[in-house]
Amino acid sequence: MPRIDMKKSVGLKGVNNADDVIKIKTRLIELGFDWLKADATVGPDTVSAIKLFQAIKNGFDVVNNVKNDGLVSVGGDTLRWLEAANAPKWMRMPAGSKAEGYINDEAADTSDNHDFGTDWLAETLRGAGANYRDDYLKDNATAALLRVNDSSRPRGGDTPMHAGHESGLVCDIRLPRKDGSVGGITVSDSNYDRKAMRAIIKAFRKQKLADRVLLNDSVLINEGLCRSAAGHHNHAHFEIRPPVRETD
Ligand SMILES: [Zn+2]
């Protein structure tokens, strides 16, 4: 994988030698942080992109954390992740399809723009969709698909619509209804399709990066499939954690 031959630190309060800055920014652009330019400038956009990258590799749903210090140090963990074979890529989340078992409703939603995230999340959603299709939809053809909403904004970071959702490691899942559609209900609604929700969570939990599931469904909580959190009675919230860093 790319060996980044960096002489001095880059980023917030870094030494920021031109050669080093260009190398780091070039690598970030390659990984999808492509609003940057491969030049020698270290401004707010560069610092925010480094912080976003750090939030991702640290597994933080919020970018603004002292551990995301905006600085790439020689020999440091951020540099090692930039060089990793499985370095996180920033991307538009896949649209999904009926054939894949999941649909990303955010892709068709023009009212807000929370359609970006990591390739780690994209892979997890693809895997969960495939498992849900093969394990459940196959025998329950009229059940709702796994329907995704709200990952992160185009450049990550703060969003007024969520406390987190800043670093492309989480997304929301709309509640399946017994009529095969989704959303507009709570877990106490008679139209709520708990069987489908159970299968969706199980399919997600089969994925290697699956982490917490938040949903205020006491039956599924008792089964150990999810936990409660304020506001999570009308949608589920899926989180992933970073993989183990791979060198080649
Ligand atoms: Zn959420």
Side-chain angles (χ1 to χ4, degrees):
M1 272 297 111
R3 173 88 180 78
I4 302 169
D5 182 22
M6 194 174 87
K7 304 278 188 278
K8 301 278 182 189
S9 59
V10 169
L12 187 64
K13 300 177 187 156
V15 177
N16 293 325
N17 287 333
D19 280 3
D20 292 335
V21 172
I22 290 167
K23 281 177 191 165
I24 295 301
K25 291 178 81 173
T26 300
R27 178 58 176 153
L28 283 168
I29 292 164
E30 198 173 276
L31 291 171
F33 302 80
D34 55 8
W35 53 94
L36 300 179
K37 290 192 184 72
D39 58 20
T41 313
V42 177
D45 281 358
T46 305
V47 170
S48 316
I50 294 170
K51 286 184 175 178
L52 174 59
F53 183 84
Q54 290 175 319
I56 296 166
K57 65 95 179 164
N58 288 333
F60 297 160
D61 187 33
V62 171
V63 172
N64 198 1
N65 181 301
V66 286
K67 288 187 178 160
N68 310 326
D69 61 6
L71 182 67
V72 184
S73 304
V74 179
D77 195 57
T78 306
L79 182 60
R80 286 202 294 266
W81 267 106
L82 284 165
E83 292 178 330
N86 57 346
K89 296 186 183 74
W90 190 255
M91 60 184 284
R92 188 181 283 277
M93 291 291 96
S97 64
K98 187 163 191 230
E100 294 170 278
Y102 80 101
I103 287 181
N104 178 5
D105 286 322
E106 187 66 29
D109 181 358
T110 52
S111 69
D112 66 35
N113 195 354
H114 292 75
D115 195 28
F116 284 76
T118 58
D119 61 325
W120 299 343
L121 181 62
E123 276 304 300
T124 302
L125 289 172
R126 280 197 194 96
N131 282 128
Y132 177 57
R133 176 195 64 206
D134 298 344
D135 298 347
Y136 189 78
L137 289 176
K138 184 163 60 73
D139 301 317
N140 299 275
T142 59
L145 296 175
L146 190 171
R147 299 266 292 263
V148 183
N149 192 28
D150 279 5
S151 31
S152 297
R153 296 174 78 197
R155 298 181 183 186
D158 208 16
T159 160
M161 292 178 62
H162 302 271
H165 286 243
E166 295 188 7
S167 62
L169 300 174
V170 316
C171 62
D172 287 341
I173 303 297
R174 303 173 74 198
L175 293 191
R177 300 169 62 119
K178 287 175 180 163
D179 62 8
S181 66
V182 293
I185 53 168
T186 72
V187 292
S188 46
D189 197 295
S190 61
N191 289 317
Y192 170 52
D193 187 348
R194 176 171 291 125
K195 284 185 185 146
M197 192 72 235
R198 178 186 288 116
I200 288 168
I201 296 177
K202 283 185 171 174
F204 173 70
R205 290 170 67 97
K206 272 190 172 181
Q207 311 310 309
K208 69 177 198 295
L209 302 184
D211 199 8
R212 293 196 312 172
V213 172
L214 306 181
L215 174 63
N216 297 347
D217 178 330
S218 55
V219 174
L220 300 185
I221 289 170
N222 283 336
E223 293 174 16
L225 291 173
C226 51
R227 49 196 274 187
S228 68
H232 291 76
H233 55 287
N234 62 0
H235 71 281
H237 169 106
F238 285 7
E239 302 182 349
I240 62 166
R241 56 174 172 268
V244 173
R245 187 169 47 81
E246 292 167 9
T247 51
D248 57 349

